[in-house]
Amino acid sequence: MGIVVVGTVAYDSIETPFGKVEETLGGSALYFTVAASFFTRVGIVAVIGEDFDLGKISFLKDRNVSFDGLYVEKGKTFRWKGYYSYNLNEAHTLDTQLNVLENFDPILPEEFTRKDLLFLANIDPELQLKVLDQMKNVKFSAADTMNFWIDSKKEKVMEVFSRVNAVTINEGEIRELTEEYNLVKAARKILDIGPEHVIIKRGEYGVLVFEKSGEVFFVPAYPLEKVFDPTGAGDTFAGGFMGFLDSQGEIKRNLRKAVIYGSVLASYNVEKFSFLKLLEISRQDIDERYREFLNFCRVE
Ligand code: AMP
């Protein structure tokens, strides 16, 4: 049991129509880990600079998170600056500073290489491949990316996707990656290169899952009255999804439930800046909202 995640740990500066924050905690691996740690043990593989305040994430150690693969290097932590207009489904990047990420060589602790589940969160696809190559016996793997890497390393992104069981990607990015507007055709193009599941994240319109078998599964987003900051919703979704799968053991039978758990976690995350909301909720809150989700489409 246990998940390995590789991705970014970041200082984010974000502006939404409802507020602004400078240098708040973020990064794909961090959002994923906070969400997944509700369900299972997580080994985080990432790099931070000497400027990172580790004290701010030490609470994760009490949640069964291993920092043995978290490297501190000379230089500055990865930084991302973005904004959202009233279309909260689309993040606009203003600035990306790779900093210590530029020379990161992720060597996995021996214990991590034997974990069952692997999530390749949004990071340089060459680093995703390096981590994938070190894993000895993965039962289920999934990967994500974003336009920054599609623009600069498209072939590597495709190589990563061809080697995992599931791809999680947002709708704008799969259209860009496949050069296909129609999501059914876009998903088919990715399914054709390898993965069994393509999970398309559509912000307030929910999640569409396309299976190699031809099945389609759709989960709406939780109808929230207040969406404050969508940053990290995708990574939080993945954390809930993979975390729940790992806690259940059997993958196939639990995949749809896991998509709903991912949606539950993402719905909480957007209610506040950074992952602050996730620190206020309990496993019981998560299960209650899961039951609400089940009712959304139930017909007597
Ligand atoms: P999401 O909103 O789930 O797509 O992910 C948001 C997180 O992705 C932010 O916390 C950023 O720090 C991180 N991020 C932004 N750009 C990149 C990038 N090029 N590579 C990896 N992570 C990034």
Side-chain angles (χ1 to χ4, degrees), residues 16-18 83-90 92 204:
T16 78
F18 319 109
Y83 76 93
Y84 300 82
S85 60
Y86 274 94
N87 177 4
L88 292 170
N89 292 341
E90 200 187 342
H92 302 277
E204 65 183 307

Side-chain angles (χ1 to χ4, degrees), residues 4-61:
V4 172
V5 58
V6 61
T8 50
V9 170
Y11 279 129
D12 289 343
S13 297
I14 306 156
E15 196 169 341
T16 78
F18 319 109
K20 196 174 168 174
V21 277
E22 298 281 332
E23 309 243 310
T24 189
L25 288 177
S28 55
L30 204 48
Y31 278 108
F32 178 95
T33 300
V34 177
S37 65
F38 278 101
F39 302 93
T40 190
R41 306 171 81 86
V42 183
I44 184 168
V45 180
V47 63
I48 50 179
E50 289 164 317
D51 57 347
F52 192 84
D53 181 359
L54 265 174
K56 290 259 164 60
I57 58 168
S58 59
F59 71 93
L60 286 170
K61 287 193 176 159

Side-chain angles (χ1 to χ4, degrees), residues 8 10 12 26-28 31 78 80 84 96 98 101 122-124 146 148-149 170 230-236:
T8 50
D12 289 343
S28 55
Y31 278 108
F78 173 80
W80 178 73
Y84 300 82
T96 303
L98 295 177
L101 209 64
N122 178 24
I123 197 170
D124 185 333
M146 78 179 276
F148 185 87
W149 304 112
N170 74 31
T231 309
D235 311 308
T236 309

Side-chain angles (χ1 to χ4, degrees), residues 52-247:
F52 192 84
D53 181 359
L54 265 174
K56 290 259 164 60
I57 58 168
S58 59
F59 71 93
L60 286 170
K61 287 193 176 159
D62 303 328
R63 296 172 67 150
N64 282 323
V65 174
S66 167
F67 285 1
D68 291 352
L70 183 65
Y71 298 91
V72 186
E73 298 293 347
K74 262 207 166 76
K76 286 174 84 178
T77 299
F78 173 80
R79 276 169 173 75
W80 178 73
K81 193 171 183 179
Y83 76 93
Y84 300 82
S85 60
Y86 274 94
N87 177 4
L88 292 170
N89 292 341
E90 200 187 342
H92 302 277
T93 295
L94 293 170
D95 191 27
T96 303
Q97 291 172 22
L98 295 177
N99 298 333
V100 285
L101 209 64
E102 242 156 330
N103 297 312
F104 183 37
D105 188 13
I107 307 293
L108 267 56
E110 171 62 24
E111 184 215 346
F112 284 21
T113 64
R114 284 181 269 109
K115 296 279 186 207
D116 288 343
L117 267 69
L118 171 68
F119 188 66
L120 304 169
N122 178 24
I123 197 170
D124 185 333
E126 296 195 52
L127 297 179
Q128 292 177 317
L129 289 169
K130 275 189 178 172
V131 170
L132 191 55
D133 285 340
Q134 292 171 64
M135 297 298 290
K136 300 212 169 93
N137 199 11
V138 179
K139 230 169 68 183
F140 187 82
S141 57
D144 198 352
T145 194
M146 78 179 276
N147 47 15
F148 185 87
W149 304 112
I150 297 171
D151 292 342
S152 55
K153 300 189 175 185
K154 186 170 168 171
E155 274 170 29
K156 291 286 173 194
V157 170
M158 290 300 260
E159 189 180 337
V160 172
F161 284 2
S162 73
R163 291 181 56 192
V164 291
N165 300 97
V167 163
T168 66
I169 187 164
N170 74 31
E171 66 174 321
E173 283 151 4
I174 195 170
R175 285 184 170 128
E176 183 182 340
L177 181 65
T178 59
E179 294 173 17
E180 179 61 68
Y181 181 80
N182 181 288
L183 291 180
V184 182
K185 288 183 184 165
R188 176 53 56 199
K189 279 191 178 171
I190 301 298
L191 289 167
D192 282 348
I193 64 166
E196 295 116 67
H197 322 274
V198 170
I199 302 174
I200 304 181
K201 300 168 286 177
R202 305 184 63 223
E204 65 183 307
Y205 306 113
V207 173
L208 265 172
V209 185
F210 292 93
E211 307 279 352
K212 217 176 198 116
S213 63
E215 273 178 72
V216 183
F217 180 53
F218 175 60
V219 177
Y222 190 80
L224 283 169
E225 208 162 309
K226 272 194 206 142
V227 177
F228 198 71
D229 171 23
T231 309
D235 311 308
T236 309
F237 168 87
F241 169 72
M242 297 288 283
F244 179 76
L245 279 181
D246 194 49
S247 70

